Amino acid sequence: AVYMLDAEINNGGHTQYFFNSSGDDWQNALDGLKVMGMEDRAAVFQRSLDYFGAKGPSSDRKTRQTQLSKVYRKHEADLKKLDSQY
C-alpha cells in the first residue's frame, strides 16, 4: 500500500492517488507509513486525508472520485503544496 502511495504521489500527486484504485487502500498506506517510521510523510498524507472530512475518503473508487472532485475544486493549490512536501 505504501509503495503504491509513493508511486502515485510521485507520478501525479495526491489527486492521482485518490482518483485511481490505489486510493481504495488509503488506510493501509497511512498505517504502513507510521509503522515504517515515516512520520513526516504520514503527516503530509494525513493533511490530504483531512480534506475529505472526519471519515476520510471512501474506499469505493467511484464514491471517492466524486468526493475528490469537490475537494479538488476547493483545495487544488493546497493539494499541490502537499505533493511537493511529500
Side-chain angles (χ1 to χ4, degrees):
V2 172
Y3 173 80
M4 291 307 299
L5 173 70
D6 285 347
E8 296 277 12
I9 290 177
N10 288 322
N11 184 44
H14 287 83
T15 302
Q16 177 174 308
Y17 175 76
F18 291 122
F19 184 85
N20 289 339
S21 61
S22 301
D24 294 354
D25 209 20
W26 68 265
Q27 185 65 63
N28 286 332
L30 178 62
D31 293 344
L33 289 171
K34 291 177 181 178
V35 167
M36 293 190 304
M38 297 179 174
E39 295 298 325
D40 291 342
R41 285 187 180 189
V44 171
F45 186 48
Q46 181 62 60
R47 287 197 301 274
S48 74
L49 294 168
D50 290 344
Y51 289 116
F52 289 87
K55 293 183 180 181
S58 175
S59 60
D60 175 75
R61 185 175 183 203
K62 290 198 179 282
T63 302
R64 188 177 57 257
Q65 288 174 341
T66 300
Q67 291 173 319
L68 177 61
S69 176
K70 294 173 186 174
V71 166
Y72 188 77
R73 275 181 277 171
K74 290 182 181 178
H75 304 288
E76 176 183 4
D78 295 331
L79 288 169
K80 288 183 180 186
K81 286 179 189 175
L82 291 176
D83 295 345
S84 298
Q85 292 171 4
Y86 186 84

